[in-house]
Structure formats: C-alpha cells, structure tokens
Amino acid sequence: MKMKKIIGMLLSAVLAVSMSACTFSTPSVVMTVEGEEIPAGLYLMYQYQAYTQASSQVDDPAVPTLKNTIEGKKAEEWIHEQTVEGIKRCIWTEKAFAEKYGEMTPEETAAMEQQIDSIWQANSKQFEVNGIGRESYTRFFKANMQYERMMYEDLFENEASVSLEEGKKYMNEHYTRVQMLLLPIGSDDGVVLEGDALEEVKTLAQQLVEKLNQGGNFDELGKETLQKACEISGRAYTEELLEAFLSKGFVSEGSREYPKEVVEKALASQEGQADVYYSSNVPMVYQRIANFADDAEYEKEFKKAIESEIVTGRFADAVKENTASYEVVEDAAAVKTYAPSKIK
C-alpha cells in the first residue's frame, strides 16, 4: 500500500509539471469560407463592427443590446449573421478586386496606411482588448477600401440608368417627409413651466394640430403658435428661435433620428395629417408633407442622392447574391469562445 501511495504521488507530480508546461490557447481559426481559413482576429473585427451596428438597430432602445431583438431575431443571432455576411463580402472583395485591378497602387496603399496609422493610434487599446491585432484590422480596412472603389466605379457607370420616374417612385416608397415644431416649456432663465401654464402650452399644441388637419398653413400657424408659447413660458421670441424650433426632415422604416412613436405614426399617416408627441412634457407638433413639391425640386434637391442610393443598393444586392452560395464551415467551439458577450 505504501508503494502504491508513493507511485501515485510521483504520477501526480509528473502530471502537475506537464500541465504547468502547457499553454491553453484560444482558437486561431473560427471558420472557413470557400475553403479559406478565417483567422480569429478578422472574425472578431467583423463581429465588433456588427455589435456596434446592433446598438442602433435594436427593437427596444431601453433594453441592453444583447438582451434585445433586432428585426424579431435575438440580437446575438443577428450579430453572428452580420459577422458572417461581412466576412463573405471580404473574401468576395479580395478576389474580385484582384481579378479586376491586380494590386492597389503605391499611392492607394500609402494613403491607406496613413489612415490606418491614425485610426490605430486612437483605437488600438480597444481593438487589442477585444482580440483584434493590427494585421487583422488592416485586412478589414483594405477590403472595405477596395469594396468602395468598385462600388463607386459601378455608380459612375450606372447612375444615369435611373430614370426620373424610377427615382421619384423609389423616394416615395422609402421616405416620408415631415415638418415639425417644438414648443418651449421653459423661460430664458431656465424656469420650467408647471400646472396651468404647462397645460396652456399643451393646449396650443393641440389647437395647432386641429388647424393643420383642417388645411392650415404650417409656416404661418407654427410661427403664431411659437410666439404664444414664448409669451406663456417667459421666453423671448426671435426669428432665430423660430428657425431652430421649426424644421423639416425625413423618416423611413427603422429611423432612429426621431422617437419611434413619431416615426410609426408618420409612416402610417396621410399627406397633410398632423399629430403631437410629448417628450418630458415638451410638445412636438409634426405633420406629414409631400417629399417634393414638383419635379424641379426633386431634381435639384434629391435626384443625385436617390440615384446613388439605388445604384449602390443594386451593387450590394449583387454582391450578396454572389456570396449566397459560399460554403461556410464554422468551428462551433470557436464561435462560442468568441461570443459577442465577451466584447469589452
């Protein structure tokens, strides 16, 4: 028995020494795309990008990103899908660019390195703590730069293919224009209205909505309403204040520039329809209006941007179609090791 104990102790000591000599490392490859191994650093860079985008895409801004949903999917699932799409696009870009141009010019490479130097100097700590080295970031940046060059060349060649009617139709299907007016509930000295005075301003907002829905002119009625609200709140009315509080903008599906309720109601409303939204008691009266008054305004103000959006969208769709058949083989353990919840 004593000999067995001694042998057991010796085996334990040998095992301890051998284990101390081992280094437990994280996976260096996360997946293959079309047979090409994807290094962990590149995977993590695309995941970091997807995670950053996710925060502005969540269905409920009040809920933490990874506990949220995006387009009805769990945020973590959405992030992974976007990560894989980004990597597939990277592989396609590298191959397509090499076939079309060969290598980047020395001037392009120098300009790229200069930009990377600046970005890396400002963000290297954040990247490195998330497992992203400079080599991985450089590959990511280079692929984006190459993609943009091909996309903009395609735009230059094809933007004239978008007809006037196609452009206007696209704009009306994807964008809704609103004009809005904020009403002050605080004085120049910072005193916030309460009680009856606050209710007076809210009543002004409701009256403005009613008049607009009856066909009233927003510019005239908005100015008049703002002047009355300033009198009640103890704020000096100026034309500069009117310019700051009366504005126009566009909303679209998923817009984040305005409150979700405003976006949803504006999209569902008819042209000319008005409503009011309260944010911390501050009334915001908004009304849906025509995207453009006539062809002349469309051509002057929006034509170029809409044509660009249509053509670059077609390019992106074509790339996604090309990469849809790419064979992706994931290392499930590696994907789990590098889950979005590990991002710092």
Side-chain angles (χ1 to χ4, degrees), residues 70-99:
I70 301 173
E71 299 169 0
K73 295 178 181 177
K74 289 182 178 179
E76 193 157 338
E77 179 184 345
W78 185 91
I79 290 168
H80 184 64
E81 287 180 1
Q82 294 302 308
T83 301
V84 175
E85 284 300 318
I87 293 169
K88 287 162 66 178
R89 186 171 59 251
C90 173
I91 299 302
W92 176 88
T93 298
E94 290 173 340
K95 291 178 179 177
F97 191 91
E99 289 173 6

PDB file of all heavy atoms in Angstrom, residues 70-99:
ATOM      1  N   ILE A  70     -33.530  42.180 -32.814  1.00  0.00           N
ATOM      2  CA  ILE A  70     -33.357  43.038 -33.982  1.00  0.00           C
ATOM      3  C   ILE A  70     -34.111  42.384 -35.131  1.00  0.00           C
ATOM      4  O   ILE A  70     -33.826  41.237 -35.486  1.00  0.00           O
ATOM      5  CB  ILE A  70     -31.874  43.205 -34.353  1.00  0.00           C
ATOM      6  CG1 ILE A  70     -31.092  43.819 -33.183  1.00  0.00           C
ATOM      7  CG2 ILE A  70     -31.718  44.074 -35.596  1.00  0.00           C
ATOM      8  CD1 ILE A  70     -29.591  43.868 -33.392  1.00  0.00           C
ATOM      9  N   GLU A  71     -35.088  43.084 -35.652  1.00  0.00           N
ATOM     10  CA  GLU A  71     -35.926  42.534 -36.725  1.00  0.00           C
ATOM     11  C   GLU A  71     -36.541  41.211 -36.287  1.00  0.00           C
ATOM     12  O   GLU A  71     -36.699  40.275 -37.075  1.00  0.00           O
ATOM     13  CB  GLU A  71     -35.101  42.346 -38.005  1.00  0.00           C
ATOM     14  CG  GLU A  71     -34.514  43.650 -38.535  1.00  0.00           C
ATOM     15  CD  GLU A  71     -33.481  43.425 -39.639  1.00  0.00           C
ATOM     16  OE1 GLU A  71     -33.220  42.258 -39.998  1.00  0.00           O
ATOM     17  OE2 GLU A  71     -32.941  44.426 -40.135  1.00  0.00           O
ATOM     18  N   GLY A  72     -36.875  41.134 -35.001  1.00  0.00           N
ATOM     19  CA  GLY A  72     -37.519  39.934 -34.465  1.00  0.00           C
ATOM     20  C   GLY A  72     -36.574  38.816 -34.076  1.00  0.00           C
ATOM     21  O   GLY A  72     -36.987  37.819 -33.484  1.00  0.00           O
ATOM     22  N   LYS A  73     -35.269  38.948 -34.377  1.00  0.00           N
ATOM     23  CA  LYS A  73     -34.293  37.921 -34.033  1.00  0.00           C
ATOM     24  C   LYS A  73     -33.573  38.300 -32.743  1.00  0.00           C
ATOM     25  O   LYS A  73     -33.455  39.476 -32.422  1.00  0.00           O
ATOM     26  CB  LYS A  73     -33.239  37.786 -35.142  1.00  0.00           C
ATOM     27  CG  LYS A  73     -33.767  37.295 -36.463  1.00  0.00           C
ATOM     28  CD  LYS A  73     -32.633  37.249 -37.476  1.00  0.00           C
ATOM     29  CE  LYS A  73     -33.158  36.780 -38.827  1.00  0.00           C
ATOM     30  NZ  LYS A  73     -32.100  36.795 -39.855  1.00  0.00           N
ATOM     31  N   LYS A  74     -33.056  37.300 -32.039  1.00  0.00           N
ATOM     32  CA  LYS A  74     -32.215  37.589 -30.886  1.00  0.00           C
ATOM     33  C   LYS A  74     -31.001  38.378 -31.378  1.00  0.00           C
ATOM     34  O   LYS A  74     -30.429  38.057 -32.423  1.00  0.00           O
ATOM     35  CB  LYS A  74     -31.755  36.299 -30.214  1.00  0.00           C
ATOM     36  CG  LYS A  74     -32.878  35.557 -29.489  1.00  0.00           C
ATOM     37  CD  LYS A  74     -32.339  34.316 -28.798  1.00  0.00           C
ATOM     38  CE  LYS A  74     -33.451  33.598 -28.040  1.00  0.00           C
ATOM     39  NZ  LYS A  74     -32.965  32.366 -27.373  1.00  0.00           N
ATOM     40  N   ALA A  75     -30.628  39.394 -30.631  1.00  0.00           N
ATOM     41  CA  ALA A  75     -29.533  40.270 -31.055  1.00  0.00           C
ATOM     42  C   ALA A  75     -28.252  39.488 -31.328  1.00  0.00           C
ATOM     43  O   ALA A  75     -27.546  39.752 -32.304  1.00  0.00           O
ATOM     44  CB  ALA A  75     -29.282  41.344 -30.003  1.00  0.00           C
ATOM     45  N   GLU A  76     -27.948  38.510 -30.485  1.00  0.00           N
ATOM     46  CA  GLU A  76     -26.713  37.744 -30.670  1.00  0.00           C
ATOM     47  C   GLU A  76     -26.737  36.966 -31.996  1.00  0.00           C
ATOM     48  O   GLU A  76     -25.723  36.857 -32.690  1.00  0.00           O
ATOM     49  CB  GLU A  76     -26.499  36.791 -29.495  1.00  0.00           C
ATOM     50  CG  GLU A  76     -25.114  36.209 -29.456  1.00  0.00           C
ATOM     51  CD  GLU A  76     -24.702  35.738 -28.067  1.00  0.00           C
ATOM     52  OE1 GLU A  76     -25.269  36.210 -27.074  1.00  0.00           O
ATOM     53  OE2 GLU A  76     -23.793  34.891 -27.997  1.00  0.00           O
ATOM     54  N   GLU A  77     -27.918  36.462 -32.345  1.00  0.00           N
ATOM     55  CA  GLU A  77     -28.064  35.741 -33.618  1.00  0.00           C
ATOM     56  C   GLU A  77     -27.881  36.708 -34.793  1.00  0.00           C
ATOM     57  O   GLU A  77     -27.216  36.387 -35.780  1.00  0.00           O
ATOM     58  CB  GLU A  77     -29.452  35.095 -33.678  1.00  0.00           C
ATOM     59  CG  GLU A  77     -29.730  34.331 -34.955  1.00  0.00           C
ATOM     60  CD  GLU A  77     -31.155  33.793 -35.016  1.00  0.00           C
ATOM     61  OE1 GLU A  77     -31.849  33.767 -33.971  1.00  0.00           O
ATOM     62  OE2 GLU A  77     -31.593  33.403 -36.120  1.00  0.00           O
ATOM     63  N   TRP A  78     -28.480  37.910 -34.680  1.00  0.00           N
ATOM     64  CA  TRP A  78     -28.353  38.927 -35.727  1.00  0.00           C
ATOM     65  C   TRP A  78     -26.889  39.326 -35.903  1.00  0.00           C
ATOM     66  O   TRP A  78     -26.395  39.445 -37.022  1.00  0.00           O
ATOM     67  CB  TRP A  78     -29.193  40.137 -35.367  1.00  0.00           C
ATOM     68  CG  TRP A  78     -29.247  41.214 -36.398  1.00  0.00           C
ATOM     69  CD1 TRP A  78     -30.156  41.354 -37.418  1.00  0.00           C
ATOM     70  CD2 TRP A  78     -28.345  42.338 -36.535  1.00  0.00           C
ATOM     71  NE1 TRP A  78     -29.880  42.471 -38.164  1.00  0.00           N
ATOM     72  CE2 TRP A  78     -28.780  43.097 -37.657  1.00  0.00           C
ATOM     73  CE3 TRP A  78     -27.227  42.765 -35.828  1.00  0.00           C
ATOM     74  CZ2 TRP A  78     -28.131  44.264 -38.069  1.00  0.00           C
ATOM     75  CZ3 TRP A  78     -26.571  43.926 -36.241  1.00  0.00           C
ATOM     76  CH2 TRP A  78     -27.024  44.659 -37.344  1.00  0.00           C
ATOM     77  N   ILE A  79     -26.188  39.523 -34.798  1.00  0.00           N
ATOM     78  CA  ILE A  79     -24.779  39.919 -34.840  1.00  0.00           C
ATOM     79  C   ILE A  79     -23.953  38.842 -35.548  1.00  0.00           C
ATOM     80  O   ILE A  79     -23.098  39.147 -36.377  1.00  0.00           O
ATOM     81  CB  ILE A  79     -24.242  40.169 -33.415  1.00  0.00           C
ATOM     82  CG1 ILE A  79     -24.862  41.452 -32.839  1.00  0.00           C
ATOM     83  CG2 ILE A  79     -22.717  40.274 -33.413  1.00  0.00           C
ATOM     84  CD1 ILE A  79     -24.623  41.636 -31.359  1.00  0.00           C
ATOM     85  N   HIS A  80     -24.230  37.578 -35.231  1.00  0.00           N
ATOM     86  CA  HIS A  80     -23.469  36.500 -35.866  1.00  0.00           C
ATOM     87  C   HIS A  80     -23.735  36.459 -37.374  1.00  0.00           C
ATOM     88  O   HIS A  80     -22.799  36.288 -38.177  1.00  0.00           O
ATOM     89  CB  HIS A  80     -23.814  35.155 -35.236  1.00  0.00           C
ATOM     90  CG  HIS A  80     -23.004  34.017 -35.779  1.00  0.00           C
ATOM     91  ND1 HIS A  80     -21.641  33.927 -35.629  1.00  0.00           N
ATOM     92  CD2 HIS A  80     -23.365  32.937 -36.531  1.00  0.00           C
ATOM     93  CE1 HIS A  80     -21.193  32.843 -36.235  1.00  0.00           C
ATOM     94  NE2 HIS A  80     -22.222  32.225 -36.800  1.00  0.00           N
ATOM     95  N   GLU A  81     -24.981  36.610 -37.749  1.00  0.00           N
ATOM     96  CA  GLU A  81     -25.322  36.597 -39.176  1.00  0.00           C
ATOM     97  C   GLU A  81     -24.606  37.728 -39.923  1.00  0.00           C
ATOM     98  O   GLU A  81     -24.081  37.531 -41.022  1.00  0.00           O
ATOM     99  CB  GLU A  81     -26.833  36.730 -39.363  1.00  0.00           C
ATOM    100  CG  GLU A  81     -27.608  35.470 -38.986  1.00  0.00           C
ATOM    101  CD  GLU A  81     -29.112  35.645 -39.183  1.00  0.00           C
ATOM    102  OE1 GLU A  81     -29.533  36.742 -39.634  1.00  0.00           O
ATOM    103  OE2 GLU A  81     -29.855  34.695 -38.893  1.00  0.00           O
ATOM    104  N   GLN A  82     -24.602  38.931 -39.322  1.00  0.00           N
ATOM    105  CA  GLN A  82     -23.944  40.072 -39.947  1.00  0.00           C
ATOM    106  C   GLN A  82     -22.429  39.873 -40.006  1.00  0.00           C
ATOM    107  O   GLN A  82     -21.765  40.306 -40.957  1.00  0.00           O
ATOM    108  CB  GLN A  82     -24.270  41.361 -39.183  1.00  0.00           C
ATOM    109  CG  GLN A  82     -25.735  41.771 -39.240  1.00  0.00           C
ATOM    110  CD  GLN A  82     -26.222  41.967 -40.654  1.00  0.00           C
ATOM    111  OE1 GLN A  82     -25.615  42.694 -41.442  1.00  0.00           O
ATOM    112  NE2 GLN A  82     -27.324  41.330 -40.999  1.00  0.00           N
ATOM    113  N   THR A  83     -21.881  39.206 -38.989  1.00  0.00           N
ATOM    114  CA  THR A  83     -20.449  38.913 -38.968  1.00  0.00           C
ATOM    115  C   THR A  83     -20.082  38.011 -40.146  1.00  0.00           C
ATOM    116  O   THR A  83     -19.129  38.283 -40.880  1.00  0.00           O
ATOM    117  CB  THR A  83     -20.059  38.225 -37.645  1.00  0.00           C
ATOM    118  OG1 THR A  83     -20.396  39.090 -36.550  1.00  0.00           O
ATOM    119  CG2 THR A  83     -18.574  37.912 -37.603  1.00  0.00           C
ATOM    120  N   VAL A  84     -20.849  36.957 -40.324  1.00  0.00           N
ATOM    121  CA  VAL A  84     -20.582  36.009 -41.415  1.00  0.00           C
ATOM    122  C   VAL A  84     -20.762  36.688 -42.768  1.00  0.00           C
ATOM    123  O   VAL A  84     -19.949  36.503 -43.682  1.00  0.00           O
ATOM    124  CB  VAL A  84     -21.494  34.769 -41.293  1.00  0.00           C
ATOM    125  CG1 VAL A  84     -21.309  33.848 -42.499  1.00  0.00           C
ATOM    126  CG2 VAL A  84     -21.197  34.015 -40.004  1.00  0.00           C
ATOM    127  N   GLU A  85     -21.819  37.521 -42.897  1.00  0.00           N
ATOM    128  CA  GLU A  85     -22.038  38.244 -44.159  1.00  0.00           C
ATOM    129  C   GLU A  85     -20.857  39.165 -44.470  1.00  0.00           C
ATOM    130  O   GLU A  85     -20.422  39.285 -45.617  1.00  0.00           O
ATOM    131  CB  GLU A  85     -23.333  39.055 -44.083  1.00  0.00           C
ATOM    132  CG  GLU A  85     -24.604  38.244 -44.228  1.00  0.00           C
ATOM    133  CD  GLU A  85     -24.686  37.497 -45.554  1.00  0.00           C
ATOM    134  OE1 GLU A  85     -24.334  38.081 -46.597  1.00  0.00           O
ATOM    135  OE2 GLU A  85     -25.102  36.331 -45.539  1.00  0.00           O
ATOM    136  N   GLY A  86     -20.343  39.818 -43.442  1.00  0.00           N
ATOM    137  CA  GLY A  86     -19.213  40.719 -43.624  1.00  0.00           C
ATOM    138  C   GLY A  86     -17.965  39.976 -44.081  1.00  0.00           C
ATOM    139  O   GLY A  86     -17.236  40.436 -44.967  1.00  0.00           O
ATOM    140  N   ILE A  87     -17.723  38.826 -43.494  1.00  0.00           N
ATOM    141  CA  ILE A  87     -16.554  38.031 -43.869  1.00  0.00           C
ATOM    142  C   ILE A  87     -16.695  37.502 -45.295  1.00  0.00           C
ATOM    143  O   ILE A  87     -15.736  37.514 -46.078  1.00  0.00           O
ATOM    144  CB  ILE A  87     -16.345  36.877 -42.866  1.00  0.00           C
ATOM    145  CG1 ILE A  87     -15.965  37.456 -41.497  1.00  0.00           C
ATOM    146  CG2 ILE A  87     -15.275  35.905 -43.357  1.00  0.00           C
ATOM    147  CD1 ILE A  87     -15.986  36.460 -40.367  1.00  0.00           C
ATOM    148  N   LYS A  88     -17.873  37.039 -45.650  1.00  0.00           N
ATOM    149  CA  LYS A  88     -18.108  36.561 -47.029  1.00  0.00           C
ATOM    150  C   LYS A  88     -17.873  37.693 -48.032  1.00  0.00           C
ATOM    151  O   LYS A  88     -17.279  37.492 -49.090  1.00  0.00           O
ATOM    152  CB  LYS A  88     -19.533  36.013 -47.153  1.00  0.00           C
ATOM    153  CG  LYS A  88     -19.734  34.672 -46.469  1.00  0.00           C
ATOM    154  CD  LYS A  88     -21.198  34.358 -46.215  1.00  0.00           C
ATOM    155  CE  LYS A  88     -21.998  34.164 -47.469  1.00  0.00           C
ATOM    156  NZ  LYS A  88     -23.413  33.804 -47.183  1.00  0.00           N
ATOM    157  N   ARG A  89     -18.332  38.887 -47.672  1.00  0.00           N
ATOM    158  CA  ARG A  89     -18.133  40.054 -48.544  1.00  0.00           C
ATOM    159  C   ARG A  89     -16.636  40.377 -48.659  1.00  0.00           C
ATOM    160  O   ARG A  89     -16.158  40.756 -49.730  1.00  0.00           O
ATOM    161  CB  ARG A  89     -18.899  41.257 -48.003  1.00  0.00           C
ATOM    162  CG  ARG A  89     -18.879  42.470 -48.926  1.00  0.00           C
ATOM    163  CD  ARG A  89     -19.822  43.550 -48.438  1.00  0.00           C
ATOM    164  NE  ARG A  89     -19.504  44.016 -47.105  1.00  0.00           N
ATOM    165  CZ  ARG A  89     -20.245  43.769 -46.022  1.00  0.00           C
ATOM    166  NH1 ARG A  89     -21.357  43.063 -46.119  1.00  0.00           N
ATOM    167  NH2 ARG A  89     -19.884  44.222 -44.829  1.00  0.00           N
ATOM    168  N   CYS A  90     -15.915  40.219 -47.582  1.00  0.00           N
ATOM    169  CA  CYS A  90     -14.463  40.457 -47.581  1.00  0.00           C
ATOM    170  C   CYS A  90     -13.760  39.501 -48.548  1.00  0.00           C
ATOM    171  O   CYS A  90     -12.932  39.932 -49.364  1.00  0.00           O
ATOM    172  CB  CYS A  90     -13.916  40.268 -46.160  1.00  0.00           C
ATOM    173  SG  CYS A  90     -12.122  40.317 -46.025  1.00  0.00           S
ATOM    174  N   ILE A  91     -14.103  38.222 -48.465  1.00  0.00           N
ATOM    175  CA  ILE A  91     -13.491  37.224 -49.346  1.00  0.00           C
ATOM    176  C   ILE A  91     -13.833  37.518 -50.808  1.00  0.00           C
ATOM    177  O   ILE A  91     -12.967  37.466 -51.688  1.00  0.00           O
ATOM    178  CB  ILE A  91     -13.968  35.805 -48.962  1.00  0.00           C
ATOM    179  CG1 ILE A  91     -13.562  35.470 -47.523  1.00  0.00           C
ATOM    180  CG2 ILE A  91     -13.426  34.772 -49.943  1.00  0.00           C
ATOM    181  CD1 ILE A  91     -12.082  35.537 -47.254  1.00  0.00           C
ATOM    182  N   TRP A  92     -15.097  37.870 -51.073  1.00  0.00           N
ATOM    183  CA  TRP A  92     -15.514  38.206 -52.440  1.00  0.00           C
ATOM    184  C   TRP A  92     -14.747  39.433 -52.942  1.00  0.00           C
ATOM    185  O   TRP A  92     -14.259  39.446 -54.072  1.00  0.00           O
ATOM    186  CB  TRP A  92     -17.013  38.490 -52.486  1.00  0.00           C
ATOM    187  CG  TRP A  92     -17.469  38.935 -53.851  1.00  0.00           C
ATOM    188  CD1 TRP A  92     -17.860  38.140 -54.879  1.00  0.00           C
ATOM    189  CD2 TRP A  92     -17.507  40.282 -54.348  1.00  0.00           C
ATOM    190  NE1 TRP A  92     -18.163  38.903 -55.993  1.00  0.00           N
ATOM    191  CE2 TRP A  92     -17.952  40.224 -55.700  1.00  0.00           C
ATOM    192  CE3 TRP A  92     -17.222  41.532 -53.800  1.00  0.00           C
ATOM    193  CZ2 TRP A  92     -18.102  41.356 -56.490  1.00  0.00           C
ATOM    194  CZ3 TRP A  92     -17.374  42.664 -54.592  1.00  0.00           C
ATOM    195  CH2 TRP A  92     -17.810  42.580 -55.923  1.00  0.00           C
ATOM    196  N   THR A  93     -14.637  40.442 -52.090  1.00  0.00           N
ATOM    197  CA  THR A  93     -13.977  41.695 -52.471  1.00  0.00           C
ATOM    198  C   THR A  93     -12.521  41.459 -52.839  1.00  0.00           C
ATOM    199  O   THR A  93     -12.030  41.958 -53.856  1.00  0.00           O
ATOM    200  CB  THR A  93     -14.063  42.719 -51.324  1.00  0.00           C
ATOM    201  OG1 THR A  93     -15.440  43.017 -51.064  1.00  0.00           O
ATOM    202  CG2 THR A  93     -13.333  44.004 -51.681  1.00  0.00           C
ATOM    203  N   GLU A  94     -11.819  40.720 -52.000  1.00  0.00           N
ATOM    204  CA  GLU A  94     -10.400  40.468 -52.256  1.00  0.00           C
ATOM    205  C   GLU A  94     -10.195  39.772 -53.602  1.00  0.00           C
ATOM    206  O   GLU A  94      -9.304  40.131 -54.378  1.00  0.00           O
ATOM    207  CB  GLU A  94      -9.813  39.630 -51.121  1.00  0.00           C
ATOM    208  CG  GLU A  94      -9.706  40.394 -49.811  1.00  0.00           C
ATOM    209  CD  GLU A  94      -9.296  39.531 -48.636  1.00  0.00           C
ATOM    210  OE1 GLU A  94      -9.443  38.296 -48.710  1.00  0.00           O
ATOM    211  OE2 GLU A  94      -8.823  40.088 -47.625  1.00  0.00           O
ATOM    212  N   LYS A  95     -11.040  38.797 -53.884  1.00  0.00           N
ATOM    213  CA  LYS A  95     -10.916  38.062 -55.142  1.00  0.00           C
ATOM    214  C   LYS A  95     -11.324  38.935 -56.332  1.00  0.00           C
ATOM    215  O   LYS A  95     -10.635  38.974 -57.358  1.00  0.00           O
ATOM    216  CB  LYS A  95     -11.770  36.796 -55.098  1.00  0.00           C
ATOM    217  CG  LYS A  95     -11.250  35.751 -54.120  1.00  0.00           C
ATOM    218  CD  LYS A  95     -12.153  34.530 -54.071  1.00  0.00           C
ATOM    219  CE  LYS A  95     -11.618  33.484 -53.100  1.00  0.00           C
ATOM    220  NZ  LYS A  95     -12.512  32.305 -52.985  1.00  0.00           N
ATOM    221  N   ALA A  96     -12.458  39.637 -56.197  1.00  0.00           N
ATOM    222  CA  ALA A  96     -12.964  40.460 -57.303  1.00  0.00           C
ATOM    223  C   ALA A  96     -12.011  41.605 -57.620  1.00  0.00           C
ATOM    224  O   ALA A  96     -11.769  41.927 -58.792  1.00  0.00           O
ATOM    225  CB  ALA A  96     -14.348  41.010 -56.945  1.00  0.00           C
ATOM    226  N   PHE A  97     -11.439  42.216 -56.584  1.00  0.00           N
ATOM    227  CA  PHE A  97     -10.511  43.334 -56.794  1.00  0.00           C
ATOM    228  C   PHE A  97      -9.240  42.849 -57.486  1.00  0.00           C
ATOM    229  O   PHE A  97      -8.735  43.490 -58.411  1.00  0.00           O
ATOM    230  CB  PHE A  97     -10.163  43.987 -55.457  1.00  0.00           C
ATOM    231  CG  PHE A  97      -9.433  45.296 -55.597  1.00  0.00           C
ATOM    232  CD1 PHE A  97     -10.127  46.483 -55.655  1.00  0.00           C
ATOM    233  CD2 PHE A  97      -8.040  45.329 -55.681  1.00  0.00           C
ATOM    234  CE1 PHE A  97      -9.456  47.699 -55.788  1.00  0.00           C
ATOM    235  CE2 PHE A  97      -7.361  46.535 -55.816  1.00  0.00           C
ATOM    236  CZ  PHE A  97      -8.082  47.717 -55.879  1.00  0.00           C
ATOM    237  N   ALA A  98      -8.742  41.696 -57.047  1.00  0.00           N
ATOM    238  CA  ALA A  98      -7.517  41.147 -57.642  1.00  0.00           C
ATOM    239  C   ALA A  98      -7.739  40.814 -59.116  1.00  0.00           C
ATOM    240  O   ALA A  98      -6.863  41.041 -59.956  1.00  0.00           O
ATOM    241  CB  ALA A  98      -7.086  39.903 -56.875  1.00  0.00           C
ATOM    242  N   GLU A  99      -8.915  40.270 -59.433  1.00  0.00           N
ATOM    243  CA  GLU A  99      -9.219  39.926 -60.821  1.00  0.00           C
ATOM    244  C   GLU A  99      -9.348  41.167 -61.700  1.00  0.00           C
ATOM    245  O   GLU A  99      -8.930  41.165 -62.860  1.00  0.00           O
ATOM    246  CB  GLU A  99     -10.519  39.117 -60.884  1.00  0.00           C
ATOM    247  CG  GLU A  99     -10.389  37.701 -60.342  1.00  0.00           C
ATOM    248  CD  GLU A  99     -11.726  36.992 -60.263  1.00  0.00           C
ATOM    249  OE1 GLU A  99     -12.738  37.580 -60.736  1.00  0.00           O
ATOM    250  OE2 GLU A  99     -11.780  35.861 -59.736  1.00  0.00           O
TER     251      GLU A  99
END
